[in-house]
Coordinates of all heavy atoms in Angstrom, one line a residue:
M1 N -12.2 -21.4 -19.2 CA -11.9 -22.2 -18.0 C -10.7 -23.0 -18.2 O -10.6 -23.7 -19.2 CB -13.1 -23.0 -17.5 CG -12.9 -23.6 -16.2 SD -12.9 -22.3 -14.9 CE -12.0 -23.3 -13.6
A2 N -9.8 -23.1 -17.2 CA -8.7 -23.9 -17.4 C -8.9 -25.4 -17.4 O -9.8 -25.9 -16.6 CB -7.6 -23.6 -16.3
I3 N -8.2 -26.2 -18.1 CA -8.4 -27.6 -18.2 C -7.3 -28.3 -17.4 O -7.5 -29.3 -16.7 CB -8.4 -28.1 -19.6 CG1 -9.6 -27.5 -20.4 CG2 -8.4 -29.6 -19.7 CD1 -9.6 -27.8 -21.8
I4 N -6.0 -27.8 -17.6 CA -4.8 -28.4 -17.1 C -4.8 -28.2 -15.5 O -5.1 -27.1 -15.1 CB -3.6 -27.8 -17.8 CG1 -3.6 -28.1 -19.2 CG2 -2.3 -28.5 -17.1 CD1 -2.6 -27.5 -20.0
K5 N -4.3 -29.2 -14.8 CA -4.4 -29.2 -13.4 C -3.5 -27.9 -12.8 O -3.8 -27.2 -12.0 CB -3.8 -30.5 -12.8 CG -4.0 -30.7 -11.3 CD -3.5 -32.1 -11.0 CE -3.7 -32.3 -9.5 NZ -3.3 -33.7 -9.1
S6 N -2.3 -27.7 -13.4 CA -1.5 -26.6 -13.0 C -2.1 -25.3 -13.3 O -1.9 -24.3 -12.5 CB 0.0 -26.7 -13.7 OG -0.2 -26.7 -15.1
S7 N -2.7 -25.2 -14.3 CA -3.5 -23.9 -14.6 C -4.6 -23.6 -13.6 O -4.8 -22.5 -13.2 CB -4.2 -24.0 -16.0 OG -3.1 -24.1 -16.9
K8 N -5.3 -24.7 -13.2 CA -6.3 -24.5 -12.1 C -5.7 -24.1 -10.9 O -6.2 -23.1 -10.1 CB -7.1 -25.8 -11.9 CG -8.0 -26.1 -13.0 CD -8.6 -27.5 -12.9 CE -9.5 -27.9 -14.0 NZ -10.1 -29.2 -13.7
K9 N -4.5 -24.6 -10.5 CA -3.8 -24.2 -9.3 C -3.3 -22.8 -9.4 O -3.5 -22.1 -8.4 CB -2.7 -25.2 -9.0 CG -1.9 -24.9 -7.7 CD -0.7 -25.8 -7.5 CE -0.1 -25.4 -6.2 NZ 1.0 -26.3 -5.9
A10 N -2.9 -22.4 -10.6 CA -2.4 -21.0 -10.7 C -3.5 -20.0 -10.6 O -3.3 -18.9 -10.0 CB -1.8 -20.9 -12.1
I11 N -4.7 -20.4 -11.1 CA -5.9 -19.5 -10.9 C -6.2 -19.3 -9.4 O -6.5 -18.2 -9.0 CB -7.0 -20.1 -11.7 CG1 -6.8 -19.9 -13.2 CG2 -8.3 -19.3 -11.3 CD1 -7.8 -20.6 -14.1
R12 N -6.2 -20.4 -8.6 CA -6.4 -20.4 -7.3 C -5.4 -19.5 -6.5 O -5.8 -18.7 -5.7 CB -6.4 -21.8 -6.6 CG -7.6 -22.6 -6.9 CD -7.7 -23.9 -6.1 NE -6.5 -24.7 -6.0 CZ -6.2 -25.7 -6.8 NH1 -7.0 -26.0 -7.7 NH2 -5.0 -26.3 -6.5
Q13 N -4.2 -19.7 -6.9 CA -3.1 -18.9 -6.2 C -3.2 -17.5 -6.6 O -3.1 -16.6 -5.7 CB -1.7 -19.3 -6.7 CG -1.3 -20.6 -6.2 CD 0.0 -21.1 -6.9 OE1 0.2 -20.9 -8.0 NE2 0.9 -21.8 -6.0
N14 N -3.6 -17.0 -7.9 CA -3.8 -15.7 -8.2 C -4.9 -15.1 -7.4 O -4.9 -13.9 -7.0 CB -4.1 -15.5 -9.7 CG -2.9 -15.9 -10.5 OD1 -1.6 -15.7 -10.0 ND2 -3.1 -16.3 -11.7
K15 N -6.0 -15.7 -7.1 CA -7.1 -15.2 -6.4 C -6.7 -14.9 -4.9 O -7.0 -13.8 -4.4 CB -8.3 -16.2 -6.3 CG -9.0 -16.3 -7.7 CD -10.2 -17.2 -7.5 CE -10.9 -17.4 -8.8 NZ -12.0 -18.5 -8.8
K16 N -5.9 -15.8 -4.3 CA -5.4 -15.5 -2.9 C -4.5 -14.4 -2.9 O -4.6 -13.5 -2.1 CB -4.7 -16.7 -2.4 CG -5.7 -17.9 -2.0 CD -4.9 -19.1 -1.5 CE -5.8 -20.3 -1.2 NZ -4.9 -21.4 -0.7
R17 N -3.6 -14.3 -3.9 CA -2.7 -13.2 -3.9 C -3.3 -11.8 -4.2 O -2.9 -10.8 -3.6 CB -1.6 -13.4 -5.0 CG -0.6 -14.7 -4.6 CD 0.3 -15.0 -5.7 NE 1.1 -16.1 -5.3 CZ 1.7 -16.9 -6.2 NH1 1.6 -16.7 -7.5 NH2 2.4 -18.0 -5.7
R18 N -4.2 -11.9 -5.0 CA -5.0 -10.7 -5.3 C -5.6 -10.1 -4.1 O -5.6 -8.8 -3.8 CB -6.0 -10.8 -6.4 CG -6.9 -9.6 -6.7 CD -7.5 -9.7 -8.1 NE -8.4 -8.6 -8.3 CZ -8.1 -7.3 -8.6 NH1 -6.7 -7.0 -8.7 NH2 -8.9 -6.4 -8.8
V19 N -6.3 -11.0 -3.3 CA -7.0 -10.6 -2.1 C -5.9 -9.9 -1.1 O -6.1 -8.8 -0.5 CB -7.7 -11.7 -1.4 CG1 -8.1 -11.3 0.0 CG2 -8.9 -12.1 -2.2
H20 N -4.8 -10.6 -1.0 CA -3.7 -10.1 -0.1 C -3.2 -8.8 -0.6 O -3.0 -8.0 0.3 CB -2.6 -11.2 -0.1 CG -1.5 -11.0 0.8 ND1 -0.2 -10.5 0.3 CD2 -1.4 -11.1 2.2 CE1 0.5 -10.3 1.4 NE2 -0.1 -10.7 2.5
N21 N -2.9 -8.7 -1.8 CA -2.3 -7.5 -2.4 C -3.3 -6.3 -2.2 O -2.9 -5.2 -1.9 CB -2.0 -7.7 -3.8 CG -0.8 -8.6 -4.0 OD1 0.0 -8.8 -3.0 ND2 -0.6 -9.0 -5.2
L22 N -4.5 -6.5 -2.5 CA -5.6 -5.5 -2.4 C -5.7 -5.0 -0.9 O -5.9 -3.8 -0.7 CB -7.0 -5.9 -2.9 CG -7.1 -6.1 -4.4 CD1 -8.5 -6.6 -4.8 CD2 -6.9 -4.6 -5.0
A23 N -5.5 -5.9 0.0 CA -5.5 -5.5 1.5 C -4.4 -4.4 1.7 O -4.6 -3.4 2.3 CB -5.4 -6.7 2.4
Y24 N -3.2 -4.7 1.2 CA -2.1 -3.9 1.5 C -2.4 -2.6 0.7 O -2.1 -1.4 1.3 CB -0.8 -4.4 0.9 CG -0.1 -5.3 1.8 CD1 0.1 -6.7 1.6 CD2 0.6 -4.7 3.0 CE1 0.8 -7.5 2.6 CE2 1.3 -5.5 3.8 CZ 1.4 -6.8 3.6 OH 2.1 -7.6 4.5
L25 N -2.8 -2.6 -0.6 CA -3.0 -1.4 -1.3 C -4.1 -0.5 -0.6 O -3.9 0.8 -0.5 CB -3.5 -1.7 -2.7 CG -2.5 -1.8 -3.7 CD1 -3.2 -2.2 -5.1 CD2 -1.6 -0.6 -3.9
Q26 N -5.2 -1.0 -0.1 CA -6.2 -0.3 0.5 C -5.7 0.4 1.8 O -6.1 1.5 2.1 CB -7.5 -1.2 0.8 CG -8.2 -1.5 -0.5 CD -9.3 -2.6 -0.3 OE1 -9.3 -3.2 0.8 NE2 -10.1 -2.8 -1.3
K27 N -5.0 -0.4 2.5 CA -4.4 0.1 3.8 C -3.4 1.4 3.5 O -3.5 2.4 4.1 CB -3.7 -0.9 4.6 CG -3.3 -0.4 5.9 CD -2.7 -1.6 6.7 CE -2.5 -1.2 8.1 NZ -1.9 -2.3 9.0
M28 N -2.6 1.1 2.5 CA -1.6 2.2 2.0 C -2.4 3.5 1.6 O -2.1 4.6 2.1 CB -0.8 1.7 0.9 CG 0.2 2.7 0.4 SD 1.0 2.2 -1.1 CE -0.3 2.5 -2.3
K29 N -3.3 3.3 0.7 CA -4.1 4.5 0.2 C -4.8 5.2 1.3 O -4.9 6.4 1.3 CB -5.1 4.0 -0.9 CG -4.3 3.6 -2.2 CD -5.3 3.2 -3.3 CE -4.6 2.8 -4.6 NZ -5.5 2.5 -5.6
K30 N -5.4 4.4 2.2 CA -6.2 5.0 3.3 C -5.3 5.9 4.2 O -5.6 7.1 4.5 CB -6.8 4.0 4.2 CG -7.7 4.5 5.3 CD -8.2 3.2 6.1 CE -8.2 3.7 7.5 NZ -7.7 2.7 8.4
L31 N -4.1 5.4 4.5 CA -3.2 6.2 5.4 C -2.6 7.3 4.6 O -2.5 8.5 5.2 CB -2.0 5.3 5.8 CG -2.3 4.3 6.9 CD1 -1.1 3.4 7.1 CD2 -2.7 5.0 8.2
V32 N -2.3 7.2 3.4 CA -1.8 8.3 2.6 C -2.9 9.5 2.5 O -2.6 10.6 2.7 CB -1.4 7.9 1.1 CG1 -1.2 9.1 0.2 CG2 -0.1 7.1 1.3
K33 N -4.2 9.0 2.3 CA -5.3 10.0 2.3 C -5.5 10.7 3.6 O -5.6 12.0 3.7 CB -6.6 9.4 1.8 CG -6.7 9.2 0.3 CD -8.2 8.7 0.2 CE -8.4 8.4 -1.3 NZ -9.7 7.9 -1.7
E34 N -5.3 9.9 4.7 CA -5.5 10.5 6.0 C -4.4 11.6 6.3 O -4.7 12.7 6.7 CB -5.2 9.5 7.1 CG -6.6 8.7 7.5 CD -6.3 7.8 8.5 OE1 -5.7 8.1 9.5 OE2 -6.9 6.6 8.4
A35 N -3.2 11.3 5.9 CA -2.0 12.2 6.0 C -2.3 13.4 5.2 O -2.1 14.5 5.8 CB -0.7 11.6 5.7
K36 N -2.7 13.3 4.0 CA -2.9 14.5 3.1 C -4.0 15.4 3.6 O -4.0 16.6 3.7 CB -3.3 14.1 1.7 CG -2.0 13.5 1.0 CD -2.4 13.2 -0.5 CE -1.2 12.7 -1.2 NZ -1.5 12.3 -2.6
A37 N -5.0 14.7 4.2 CA -6.2 15.4 4.7 C -5.8 16.2 6.0 O -6.3 17.4 6.2 CB -7.4 14.4 5.1
L38 N -5.0 15.6 6.8 CA -4.5 16.3 8.0 C -3.7 17.5 7.7 O -3.8 18.6 8.3 CB -3.7 15.4 8.9 CG -4.5 14.2 9.7 CD1 -3.6 13.3 10.3 CD2 -5.5 14.9 10.6
V39 N -2.9 17.4 6.7 CA -2.1 18.5 6.3 C -3.0 19.7 5.7 O -2.7 20.8 6.0 CB -1.1 18.1 5.1 CG1 -0.3 19.3 4.6 CG2 0.0 17.2 5.9
L40 N -4.0 19.2 4.9 CA -4.8 20.3 4.4 C -5.7 21.0 5.4 O -6.0 22.2 5.4 CB -5.8 19.6 3.4 CG -5.3 19.3 2.1 CD1 -6.2 18.6 1.2 CD2 -4.7 20.6 1.4
Q41 N -5.9 20.3 6.6 CA -6.7 20.8 7.7 C -5.8 21.6 8.6 O -6.2 22.0 9.7 CB -7.4 19.8 8.4 CG -8.5 19.1 7.7 CD -9.0 17.9 8.4 OE1 -8.7 17.6 9.4 NE2 -10.0 17.2 7.6
K42 N -4.5 21.7 8.3 CA -3.5 22.4 9.2 C -3.2 21.7 10.5 O -2.9 22.3 11.5 CB -3.9 23.9 9.4 CG -4.1 24.7 8.1 CD -2.9 24.9 7.4 CE -3.2 25.8 6.2 NZ -2.2 25.8 5.2
K43 N -3.5 20.4 10.6 CA -3.2 19.6 11.8 C -1.9 19.0 11.7 O -1.8 17.8 11.4 CB -4.3 18.6 12.0 CG -5.7 19.2 12.3 CD -6.7 18.1 12.5 CE -8.2 18.8 12.7 NZ -9.1 17.8 12.9
I44 N -0.9 19.8 11.8 CA 0.6 19.3 11.4 C 1.0 18.3 12.5 O 1.7 17.3 12.1 CB 1.5 20.6 11.4 CG1 1.0 21.6 10.3 CG2 2.9 20.0 11.0 CD1 0.9 21.1 8.9
K45 N 0.6 18.5 13.7 CA 1.1 17.6 14.7 C 0.6 16.2 14.6 O 1.3 15.2 14.6 CB 0.7 18.2 16.1 CG 1.2 17.4 17.3 CD 0.8 17.9 18.7 CE 1.3 17.1 19.8 NZ 0.8 17.4 21.1
E46 N -0.7 16.1 14.2 CA -1.3 14.7 14.0 C -0.7 14.2 12.8 O -0.5 12.9 12.7 CB -2.8 14.9 13.9 CG -3.6 15.2 15.1 CD -3.7 16.6 15.4 OE1 -3.0 17.5 14.7 OE2 -4.5 17.1 16.1
A47 N -0.5 15.0 11.7 CA 0.2 14.4 10.5 C 1.5 13.9 10.8 O 1.9 12.8 10.3 CB 0.2 15.5 9.5
K48 N 2.3 14.6 11.6 CA 3.7 14.1 11.9 C 3.6 12.8 12.8 O 4.5 11.9 12.6 CB 4.4 15.1 12.8 CG 4.9 16.2 11.9 CD 5.8 17.2 12.7 CE 6.4 18.4 11.8 NZ 7.1 19.3 12.6
E49 N 2.6 12.6 13.5 CA 2.4 11.4 14.3 C 2.1 10.2 13.4 O 2.4 9.1 13.6 CB 1.5 11.5 15.4 CG 1.8 12.4 16.6 CD 0.7 12.7 17.6 OE1 -0.4 12.2 17.3 OE2 1.0 13.6 18.5
L50 N 1.3 10.5 12.4 CA 0.9 9.6 11.4 C 2.0 9.1 10.4 O 1.9 8.0 9.8 CB -0.4 10.0 10.6 CG -1.0 9.1 9.8 CD1 -1.6 7.9 10.6 CD2 -2.2 9.7 9.0
L51 N 2.9 10.0 10.2 CA 4.0 9.8 9.2 C 4.7 8.5 9.3 O 5.0 7.8 8.3 CB 5.0 11.0 9.2 CG 5.7 11.3 7.9 CD1 4.8 11.6 6.7 CD2 6.6 12.5 8.1
P52 N 5.2 8.1 10.5 CA 5.9 6.8 10.7 C 5.1 5.6 10.1 O 5.6 4.7 9.5 CB 6.2 6.6 12.1 CG 6.2 8.1 12.6 CD 5.2 8.8 11.8
K53 N 3.7 5.6 10.4 CA 2.9 4.5 10.0 C 2.7 4.6 8.4 O 2.8 3.4 7.8 CB 1.5 4.7 10.6 CG 1.4 4.4 12.1 CD 0.0 4.6 12.5 CE -0.1 4.3 14.0 NZ -1.4 4.5 14.5
V54 N 2.7 5.8 7.8 CA 2.7 5.9 6.4 C 4.0 5.3 5.8 O 4.0 4.5 4.8 CB 2.4 7.3 5.9 CG1 2.5 7.4 4.5 CG2 1.1 7.8 6.5
Y55 N 5.1 5.7 6.4 CA 6.4 5.1 5.9 C 6.5 3.7 6.0 O 6.9 3.0 5.0 CB 7.5 5.8 6.7 CG 7.9 7.1 6.4 CD1 7.3 7.9 5.4 CD2 9.1 7.8 6.9 CE1 7.6 9.2 5.0 CE2 9.5 9.1 6.6 CZ 8.7 9.7 5.6 OH 9.1 11.0 5.2
Q56 N 6.0 3.1 7.1 CA 6.1 1.7 7.4 C 5.2 0.9 6.3 O 5.8 0.0 5.7 CB 5.5 1.4 8.8 CG 5.6 -0.1 9.1 CD 5.0 -0.3 10.5 OE1 4.4 0.5 11.1 NE2 5.4 -1.5 11.1
I57 N 4.1 1.3 6.0 CA 3.2 0.6 5.1 C 3.7 0.7 3.7 O 3.6 -0.2 2.8 CB 1.7 1.0 5.2 CG1 0.8 0.0 4.4 CG2 1.4 2.4 4.8 CD1 0.7 -1.3 5.0
L58 N 4.2 2.0 3.3 CA 4.8 2.1 2.0 C 6.0 1.3 1.8 O 6.2 0.7 0.7 CB 5.3 3.7 1.8 CG 4.0 4.5 1.5 CD1 4.5 6.0 1.6 CD2 3.4 4.3 0.1
D59 N 6.9 1.2 2.8 CA 8.1 0.3 2.7 C 7.7 -1.1 2.6 O 8.3 -1.9 1.8 CB 9.0 0.5 3.9 CG 9.7 1.8 3.9 OD1 9.9 2.5 2.9 OD2 10.1 2.3 5.0
K60 N 6.6 -1.5 3.3 CA 6.3 -2.9 3.3 C 5.7 -3.3 1.9 O 6.0 -4.3 1.4 CB 5.3 -3.2 4.4 CG 4.7 -4.5 4.5 CD 5.8 -5.5 4.9 CE 5.1 -6.9 5.2 NZ 6.1 -7.9 5.5
T61 N 4.8 -2.4 1.4 CA 4.1 -2.7 0.1 C 5.3 -2.7 -1.0 O 5.2 -3.6 -1.9 CB 3.2 -1.7 -0.2 OG1 3.6 -0.3 -0.2 CG2 1.9 -1.8 0.6
A62 N 6.3 -1.9 -0.8 CA 7.4 -2.0 -1.9 C 8.2 -3.3 -1.7 O 8.6 -3.9 -2.6 CB 8.3 -0.7 -1.7
K63 N 8.5 -3.7 -0.5 CA 9.2 -4.8 -0.2 C 8.5 -6.1 -0.7 O 9.2 -6.9 -1.3 CB 9.4 -4.9 1.4 CG 10.3 -6.2 1.8 CD 10.4 -6.2 3.3 CE 10.8 -7.6 3.7 NZ 10.7 -7.8 5.1
V64 N 7.2 -6.2 -0.5 CA 6.5 -7.3 -1.0 C 6.4 -7.4 -2.5 O 6.1 -8.3 -3.0 CB 5.1 -7.3 -0.3 CG1 4.2 -8.4 -0.7 CG2 5.3 -7.4 1.3
G65 N 6.5 -6.2 -3.0 CA 6.4 -6.1 -4.5 C 5.0 -5.7 -5.1 O 4.7 -5.7 -6.3
I66 N 4.3 -5.0 -4.2 CA 2.9 -4.6 -4.6 C 3.1 -3.3 -5.4 O 2.4 -3.0 -6.4 CB 2.0 -4.4 -3.4 CG1 1.8 -5.8 -2.9 CG2 0.6 -3.9 -3.9 CD1 1.1 -5.8 -1.5
I67 N 3.9 -2.4 -4.9 CA 4.4 -1.2 -5.6 C 5.8 -1.3 -5.8 O 6.5 -2.0 -5.1 CB 3.9 0.1 -5.1 CG1 4.6 0.2 -3.6 CG2 2.4 0.2 -4.9 CD1 4.2 1.6 -3.0
K68 N 6.3 -0.4 -6.7 CA 7.8 -0.4 -7.0 C 8.5 0.5 -5.9 O 7.8 1.4 -5.3 CB 8.1 0.1 -8.3 CG 7.6 -0.8 -9.5 CD 8.3 -0.5 -10.8 CE 7.7 -1.3 -11.9 NZ 8.1 -2.7 -11.9
K69 N 9.7 0.3 -5.8 CA 10.5 1.0 -4.7 C 10.6 2.4 -4.9 O 10.4 3.3 -4.0 CB 12.0 0.4 -4.6 CG 12.8 0.9 -3.4 CD 14.1 0.1 -3.5 CE 15.1 1.3 -3.8 NZ 16.5 0.8 -4.0
N70 N 10.8 2.9 -6.2 CA 10.8 4.3 -6.4 C 9.5 4.9 -6.2 O 9.4 6.1 -5.9 CB 11.4 4.5 -7.9 CG 12.9 4.3 -8.0 OD1 13.5 4.4 -7.0 ND2 13.3 4.1 -9.2
N71 N 8.4 4.3 -6.5 CA 7.0 4.8 -6.4 C 6.9 5.1 -4.8 O 6.3 6.1 -4.5 CB 6.0 3.8 -6.9 CG 4.6 4.3 -6.9 OD1 4.4 5.5 -6.6 ND2 3.7 3.4 -7.3
A72 N 7.3 4.1 -4.0 CA 7.2 4.3 -2.5 C 7.9 5.6 -2.1 O 7.5 6.4 -1.4 CB 7.6 3.1 -1.8
S73 N 9.2 5.7 -2.6 CA 10.0 6.7 -2.3 C 9.4 8.1 -2.8 O 9.5 9.1 -2.0 CB 11.4 6.7 -3.0 OG 12.1 5.5 -2.4
R74 N 8.8 8.1 -3.9 CA 8.2 9.3 -4.5 C 7.0 9.7 -3.6 O 6.9 11.0 -3.2 CB 7.7 9.1 -5.9 CG 7.1 10.4 -6.5 CD 6.9 10.2 -8.0 NE 5.9 9.1 -8.3 CZ 6.3 7.9 -8.9 NH1 7.6 7.7 -9.3 NH2 5.4 7.0 -9.1
I75 N 6.2 8.8 -3.2 CA 5.1 9.1 -2.3 C 5.4 9.6 -1.0 O 5.0 10.6 -0.5 CB 4.1 7.9 -2.2 CG1 3.5 7.4 -3.5 CG2 3.0 8.1 -1.1 CD1 2.8 6.1 -3.4
K76 N 6.5 9.0 -0.3 CA 7.0 9.5 1.0 C 7.6 10.9 0.8 O 7.3 11.7 1.6 CB 8.1 8.5 1.4 CG 7.6 7.2 1.9 CD 8.7 6.4 2.7 CE 9.8 5.9 1.8 NZ 10.7 5.0 2.5
S77 N 8.3 11.2 -0.3 CA 8.8 12.5 -0.4 C 7.7 13.6 -0.6 O 7.8 14.6 0.1 CB 9.7 12.5 -1.7 OG 10.1 13.8 -2.0
R78 N 6.7 13.2 -1.3 CA 5.6 14.2 -1.5 C 4.9 14.5 -0.2 O 4.4 15.5 0.0 CB 4.7 13.7 -2.6 CG 5.4 13.9 -4.0 CD 4.5 13.4 -5.1 NE 5.2 13.5 -6.4 CZ 4.7 13.0 -7.6 NH1 3.6 12.3 -7.5 NH2 5.4 13.2 -8.6
I79 N 4.7 13.4 0.5 CA 3.9 13.6 1.8 C 4.8 14.4 2.7 O 4.2 15.2 3.5 CB 3.6 12.2 2.4 CG1 2.4 11.6 1.6 CG2 3.1 12.3 3.8 CD1 2.0 10.3 2.0
T80 N 6.0 14.1 2.8 CA 6.9 14.8 3.8 C 7.0 16.3 3.5 O 7.1 17.1 4.4 CB 8.3 14.2 3.7 OG1 8.2 12.8 3.8 CG2 9.2 14.7 4.8
K81 N 6.9 16.7 2.2 CA 6.9 18.1 1.9 C 5.7 18.8 2.5 O 5.9 19.9 3.1 CB 6.7 18.3 0.3 CG 8.0 18.3 -0.4 CD 7.7 18.6 -1.9 CE 8.9 18.2 -2.8 NZ 8.6 18.5 -4.1

């Protein structure tokens, strides 16, 4: 357990940030899975409608720093194929 006041504050900040980051990650993974599932089910029209939302969440997670920019680009490229 931390003794120094600044260390205690850092621990509190890390907990809050982790919750925030996990929310983004879970939303991103859920949308990516949905898009892949729609493609596998040959529901191309629904997948195309979902694509902008997937792009949006990937760009946001990359912008905030949860995933790297190239990782987001790679995921977008693979989904678009």
Side-chain angles (χ1 to χ4, degrees):
M1 188 65 204
I3 297 171
I4 299 171
K5 191 175 182 181
S6 62
S7 298
K8 290 179 182 178
K9 181 178 178 180
I11 291 171
R12 290 194 307 270
Q13 287 175 326
N14 287 336
K15 285 181 184 176
K16 285 182 185 177
R17 289 176 183 155
R18 177 163 173 75
V19 169
H20 183 257
N21 291 344
L22 283 176
Y24 271 114
L25 269 179
Q26 289 170 346
K27 188 172 183 181
M28 180 194 74
K29 287 181 179 182
K30 184 181 139 227
L31 283 174
V32 169
K33 276 186 182 180
E34 272 184 48
K36 287 182 180 180
L38 287 173
V39 170
L40 286 176
Q41 296 171 2
K42 306 290 186 197
K43 296 182 180 178
I44 304 301
K45 185 179 178 188
E46 290 90 341
K48 283 185 179 179
E49 292 172 2
L50 187 64
L51 207 57
K53 289 181 182 178
V54 174
Y55 279 7
Q56 183 181 14
I57 193 71
L58 284 169
D59 289 337
K60 181 68 174 177
T61 54
K63 178 183 168 191
V64 175
I66 298 169
I67 62 173
K68 295 196 186 287
K69 191 178 108 184
N70 285 343
N71 189 4
S73 295
R74 184 173 58 247
I75 294 170
K76 289 194 293 188
S77 173
R78 289 179 180 171
I79 287 178
T80 307
K81 277 185 189 178

